[in-house]
Each structure stands twice: as C-alpha cells, then as structure tokens.
Amino acid sequence: MNSVLADRAIRDARAALRSLRRAPSFAATAILVLALGIGSATATFSVLAAVLLKPLPVSAPERVVLPRILDGRGTDLALGFSEFKELRDATRTMPVMAGVAHQGAFETSLLAGDRPLTLKTAWVTGNFFDVLGTRPALGRLFHASDESLIEPSVMVLSYGAWRRLFAGDSGVLGRQFVNPYTQHTLTIVGVAPPGLDYPRGTEVWSPYVYAGGLDVLARLGNGVTVGAARSEFETIAQGLLARRPFNGTEFAVTRVRGLAEAVVGDVKPVLLALTGAVALLLVIACANVGTLLLLRLTAREQELAIRLSLGARTADILRQLLAESGILALGGGTLGLALAWLLVRAAGSLGWTGLPRVDVISQSTIPLIAAGAALLALGLVCAAPVLAVARPDLAARLRLDTRAGGGRPARRRLSRGFVAFQAAIALVLLSGAGLLERSLSRLQQIDLGFAPDHLSLLTVSVPISLGNASAQFAALLDRGPPALESLPGVIALTPIEAPPFFGP
C-alpha cells in the first residue's frame, strides 16, 4: 500500500514538474515572489527573536537594575568614585553593586605582538560579572580580586570579538596584549557568553576603576521590588547631589530600569514595526501567488476538460494541481530560507550599526522554525485555489462551454477575496510608509547647529608611549593635519580628542 502511494506521488510530482516547465514565466514569478516574502519575513523575525526574545545570559536578569541620576535634559549624570562607595554603603535594597565607566565602551589601542588592534573597551569594577551572575563561554571571568586601581592585568573578550578576531580559537586563552601607552601587559583569561552586550558595543572588559565618572549596575535584594529600590535611590541621590558644589538638585530626577531595557534601548519599537511590515509583505506575496494560481486555473479549463473527456479521474487532476502548488511552495520556501540565511549571516558578521546582541543572531534556530511555519502557511495558500473548486461536480463544470462562463462562481469569489485582501493590506502598508516618509522628512529639516554636508569623521589610532607622550603627540599634530589637508577634496580639518556626542 505504501509503495503504491509512493509511486502515485512520484507520478504526480513528475506530471506537475512537466506542467510547470511548460509555463516557466509563471513558475519563476510565483517562486520569486514567495522567496522574497518568506526570506525577508524569516530574517527579520529571526533578528527580532534573537535581540528581544532570547534571554540575556544573566542569572535572574529581571533582578538586575541600573539606577541613574538624570539632569533636566535627561542626560545621565555620572557618580564620582567616592559617591559610588557612599551609595553602595547606604543602600539596603541593592546589596550587590558594580561600577561601569560612565562613557561606556570606547575605542582603545592595543598591540598583539606586531599587530595593532582597536577594541571597544569597558572599564568596570572587579565584581561586574559577579553582580550579573553570568558564566563564561570559555575560560573564566574576572572577579573582585582582579581589580586594580592602577592598571589591569587581565581582560575578558566579548563573544563577538572572539569569533570575529580569533575565529573562535580556544587557544586564545593566555594571549597577551600590550597597552602601547603604558607598556602594561594584559592577558586574556576568558570569553564572555554570547548576547552579553553591556555596555553597548563592548569588545573587551577590564577590571579597572576609571578615575572619572561611574554608572551603577546593581542586583535587587530578595523580596525587593523595583519601586522600593527607586524610592530608596531617590532619597540617597538627593543627598549626594546636595553635597556637590553646583548640584542643580531641583532639576535632577532619578530612574531605575532593568538591564534588558538598557541593552535593547530604543531598538525594540523599530524591530517590532519592521517585523510587522515584512509580515504584511509576506501575506501580500501569498495573496499574489494565490491570484496567479486562480488565473492559471482559469486558463487551463479547456485542457482539464479534454483530460476528463479522455478518461482522467477528477481525483487525479486534483492531485496534480495540489502537487503543482506544493512544488511552488517548496521552491519558494527553499529559496526564501537561503535568502533568510544570508541576511541573518550578514546581520551577525557585519554588526549592523546600533543593533545590540548581534553575536546571538546567527546562532539562532529561529530561521528554521519560522521558515517551517511559513512553508506550511504557503502550502495552504497555494492549495486554496484548487480546493475552492474541488467539488463533486468538477467534471461537469469543466465540461461546460467556457464561453458560457459556467462553473466559475467559486473561483470569482475567491479571486475577489484575494484582491480585496491585497488592497486592504497594501493600504495599511502605504499609510505606514507615508507616515514614515513624513517623519524622516521632518527629521532631515531639524537644525543640528552645524552643516553636516560633506563633513566626515576620520578616526586615527596611533600607539603612543607614556614616557614620551608629549613629544609624540606634538609630532603627530605637526605632521598629521597638513598631510590630510593636502588630500584632494579636503578644504578644512581640525583635530579633536573624542568624537562628537561621545558617551551618554
């Protein structure tokens, strides 16, 4: 019995392939439309699932909070090291607390032998990973005992930097880097787990307490709510600000937010909107293919009528039509899955600007799950035109004179339904696109306070040693700007110490 069904399925598939081969334009169009729809939707949903839905590699991440003091403009105010210690001693709701350099992750020049590297480094207190409660992907993470007020001796690589710079080589442990400025050696002791993107964009963590401002990372005590921590922190913060020479206490506000919110930031609404848009595009693609199948079925009425008159059974014709729909869905889904895989790989390897947690995107199994679900939906959509006309009187309806227009009411209703559905979804997408274009146009008209046209930022990373820093800086400033200004097209330049809008 099974062999008979298998033989029948093979014959139906061969007949479907021969039929589609006779209409290459139709088959190519349907497969391409499905591939674009399923590829873009699967890739976008994969990014959303990895960035927003995949849990942080942190123990009880909902208990990790970031208390902040903001000025009247909403800018984070850093704490001095003495203020950080005072807060740590005074709090009862946040018994475990770590400090993070206020400017977040910034580019640092290191030397790996003769190979210069520029890595985004985050300076944190030694108990940073203890507060997070995370586990290393390789080696170990540093602890409070590794902390140094002078110069760190250990460093932890981010998972993304490990994969990108060292191709995931486990022999990276023990590799040493030299800070060219201080000539101090740092040893890689571990690799952080994927998805630990705090501060945003960090490639290296070092247990070094920066002499400047600190941000706070804390874990709530047992049974403590975020509201209780916020109330206590507001009271302590008012006392800290009152002792500052120019405190501006009347304008400052406090905020306590979760780690997940800080990691994702403002990306969440953008990803949700983008995912919704591509999901609607997938629906439109399915409706387009459904309409194409209906038109093809209408054009083949005479062919099917002749086959029936020659003795073909209605069930045989229905099976072949379903086989054709299944081949289109399978071809479009396979090509779409390949497109989604390429897009997901690009997101993980290129590190899209502003997108957090890119190191977990390419590892997700979501593309396969999403593609499988989309394939099932596509199969049903492609089969709908066939099933809509699959009635006991199919043979009689096909034998009608096609000029009389008989036997087509179901097809017309389904076709009208497809068209109406496509029009409704397209109207939603066009409305959203119009609002987006209007918002972008207004953003482009905002006065930034400077002329951005033809303005470029060139970052130069030069190893300079502490012993002869002044002379080397002076020589760099003497030679660098004139050499760059002599380049064709450059009309003006100025050296700056840090990029505009650097840090929080």
Side-chain angles (χ1 to χ4, degrees):
M1 182 64 179
N2 292 334
S3 61
V4 174
L5 294 176
D7 291 341
R8 184 178 297 172
I10 293 174
R11 288 197 303 270
D12 291 338
R14 288 175 177 173
L17 287 173
R18 286 194 299 269
S19 177
L20 292 175
R21 197 180 300 122
R22 290 193 295 269
S25 299
F26 162 78
T29 301
I31 290 176
L32 183 59
V33 168
L34 292 177
L36 292 175
I38 192 174
S40 58
T42 302
T44 307
F45 182 73
S46 301
V47 172
L48 178 138
V51 174
L52 301 184
L53 305 182
K54 191 176 181 63
L56 295 172
V58 173
S59 174
E62 71 280 358
R63 309 293 297 169
V64 181
V65 295
L66 290 80
R68 295 286 186 270
I69 302 175
L70 291 78
D71 65 10
R73 300 168 298 175
T75 303
D76 291 349
L77 298 178
L79 295 181
F81 189 61
S82 60
E83 293 175 323
F84 170 75
K85 291 193 296 183
E86 184 177 344
L87 171 62
R88 185 177 58 189
D89 296 338
T91 182
R92 296 293 178 267
T93 60
M94 299 175 286
V96 186
M97 188 174 294
V100 182
H102 179 61
Q103 72 269 36
F106 63 98
E107 293 183 343
T108 303
S109 296
L110 297 172
L111 292 176
D114 295 333
R115 179 189 179 190
L117 293 175
T118 301
L119 300 175
K120 290 187 176 180
T121 305
W123 290 341
V124 298
T125 54
N127 65 337
F128 174 79
F129 292 109
D130 293 333
V131 173
L132 291 176
T134 189
R135 295 181 178 180
L138 185 68
R140 73 173 181 90
L141 305 174
F142 52 71
H143 307 289
S145 59
D146 294 307
E147 189 172 296
S148 171
L149 292 176
I150 303 174
E151 184 78 16
S153 59
V154 296
M155 58 190 294
V156 171
L157 281 177
S158 72
Y159 189 87
W162 176 54
R163 299 286 297 180
R164 186 178 66 258
L165 299 176
F166 301 99
D169 180 15
S170 59
V172 73
L173 297 180
R175 290 278 298 270
Q176 293 184 332
F177 292 84
V178 176
N179 185 328
Y181 185 66
T182 63
Q183 294 299 309
H184 196 84
T185 300
L186 299 96
T187 303
I188 299 176
V189 297
V191 176
L196 187 64
D197 195 10
Y198 183 79
R200 176 79 63 82
T202 298
E203 296 173 308
V204 171
W205 289 271
S206 285
Y208 176 59
V209 180
Y210 181 49
L214 290 174
D215 288 334
V216 179
L217 177 76
R219 182 172 287 274
L220 298 176
N222 294 330
V224 177
T225 64
V226 175
R230 184 181 297 111
S231 298
E232 182 198 55
F233 177 63
E234 183 175 0
T235 302
I236 299 175
Q238 293 300 322
L240 295 175
L241 291 173
R243 289 187 286 276
R244 289 187 173 185
F246 304 97
N247 52 73
T249 307
E250 65 274 18
F251 302 112
V253 296
T254 57
R255 178 182 65 185
V256 178
R257 59 174 178 167
L259 177 64
E261 181 185 353
V263 170
V264 174
D266 298 329
V267 173
K268 182 176 181 179
V270 176
L271 283 179
L272 290 176
L274 183 60
T275 303
V278 296
L280 291 179
L281 284 176
L282 176 59
V283 172
I284 291 179
C286 294
N288 281 334
V289 173
T291 303
L292 290 175
L293 286 170
L294 277 174
L295 293 174
R296 175 171 163 79
L297 189 61
T298 301
R300 297 176 64 189
E301 281 186 339
Q302 188 174 13
E303 170 202 338
L304 299 179
I306 293 174
R307 292 179 59 186
L308 287 170
S309 64
L310 294 176
R313 294 181 302 173
T314 302
D316 296 332
I317 294 179
L318 287 178
R319 282 202 317 272
Q320 182 185 338
L321 295 177
L322 290 175
E324 293 178 15
S325 300
I327 289 173
L328 292 176
L330 184 60
T334 303
L335 189 58
L337 182 58
L339 176 62
W341 182 81
L342 291 174
L343 292 174
V344 169
R345 292 279 294 183
S349 60
L350 298 180
W352 290 353
T353 302
L355 187 64
R357 310 187 71 201
V358 294
D359 52 357
V360 299
I361 294 176
S362 60
Q363 296 182 336
S364 177
T365 58
I366 295 297
L368 295 177
I369 300 174
L375 272 176
L376 179 61
L378 289 175
L380 295 176
V381 170
C382 292
V386 179
L387 297 177
V389 296
R391 296 183 178 179
D393 59 342
L394 174 62
R397 288 189 288 115
L398 287 176
R399 290 191 182 99
L400 291 175
D401 187 353
T402 56
R403 291 171 297 178
R408 299 183 184 177
R411 230 168 293 170
R412 284 198 297 268
R413 287 194 299 268
L414 186 59
S415 179
R416 291 170 182 170
F418 274 133
V419 172
F421 186 70
Q422 288 175 267
I425 299 298
L427 180 62
V428 173
L429 283 179
L430 287 174
S431 300
L435 292 173
L436 178 61
E437 190 279 333
R438 185 177 180 183
S439 299
L440 291 176
S441 177
R442 289 188 174 184
L443 286 174
Q444 291 176 344
Q445 296 172 7
I446 294 177
D447 183 9
L448 301 177
F450 62 92
D453 295 339
H454 307 290
L455 186 64
S456 299
L457 179 67
L458 174 64
T459 301
V460 180
S461 181
V462 180
I464 290 180
S465 60
L466 178 60
N468 195 26
S470 298
Q472 289 176 305
F473 270 121
L476 177 63
L477 291 178
D478 286 340
R479 297 194 309 267
L484 294 173
E485 202 164 15
S486 65
L487 295 176
V490 177
I491 60 174
L493 64 85
T494 181
I496 55 177
E497 184 178 3
F501 316 113
F502 174 70

